[in-house]
Amino acid sequence: MTLTRTIAVCSVVLALSACSALFGPNWALRLGVLEPPAAPLVTVPDTVAASTDFDVSVRTSGGGCTDIGTTEVTMVDDRTAEVRPWDYSQVNAKVCNAIYKLFTHHATLRFAKTGIATVRVIGQSGDSTLTIARTVVVR
């Protein structure tokens, strides 16, 4: 009976350890890493027309266990928008390729009122949150 029990326990342990290989990795959305921290690439036009869509792009980076995610846009008020790039990271990664990846996130914004507006890009840098602000003239 002891041999049968040992075989059963080993079988269960092997089956559970193989689950991630059978069902694939688990991915979680995490705030995108703005790299390089000294000069992250955030592209925002200097001047835009009121009530007209314009594009903003943000570059994030990752490694072998990272993939591009979504881009969240929040209008804080009439003259302030926040853009958050999110990327997928493997939660249960055993091994990741030692590669450097760059992801370009795109967002479409619109300011209805003329004047000075602010676009804030919020991402991750190291263990903290980094906010990059750009000013836009709305005509």
Side-chain angles (χ1 to χ4, degrees):
M1 283 218 155
T2 306
L3 179 61
T4 305
R5 181 177 283 161
T6 303
I7 291 172
V9 168
C10 287
S11 297
V12 169
V13 169
L14 284 174
L16 290 176
S17 66
C19 283
S20 67
L22 292 174
F23 299 109
N26 292 323
W27 295 86
L29 267 178
R30 298 200 170 131
L31 205 50
V33 176
L34 299 175
E35 292 287 346
L41 184 59
V42 175
T43 306
V44 178
D46 295 330
T47 304
V48 298
S51 299
T52 303
D53 289 350
F54 64 94
D55 293 324
V56 171
S57 66
V58 179
R59 186 175 66 196
T60 61
S61 66
C65 290
T66 312
D67 209 351
I68 191 167
T70 61
T71 306
E72 176 186 356
V73 175
T74 304
M75 294 304 294
V76 177
D77 56 38
D78 291 343
R79 291 201 170 91
T80 308
E82 292 181 344
V83 177
R84 286 179 178 81
W86 296 90
D87 291 328
Y88 289 102
S89 294
Q90 281 190 25
V91 177
N92 62 338
K94 291 180 178 44
V95 176
C96 294
N97 293 335
I99 59 174
Y100 184 69
K101 294 181 183 178
L102 294 174
F103 310 113
T104 302
H105 293 262
H106 298 279
T108 302
L109 301 177
R110 176 191 299 199
F111 292 113
K113 295 183 178 180
T114 59
I116 303 297
T118 302
V119 176
R120 292 192 297 235
V121 175
I122 301 169
Q124 179 183 336
S125 181
D127 291 333
S128 60
T129 302
L130 175 65
T131 301
I132 300 168
R134 297 286 191 260
T135 301
V136 179
V137 176
V138 183
R139 296 182 183 212

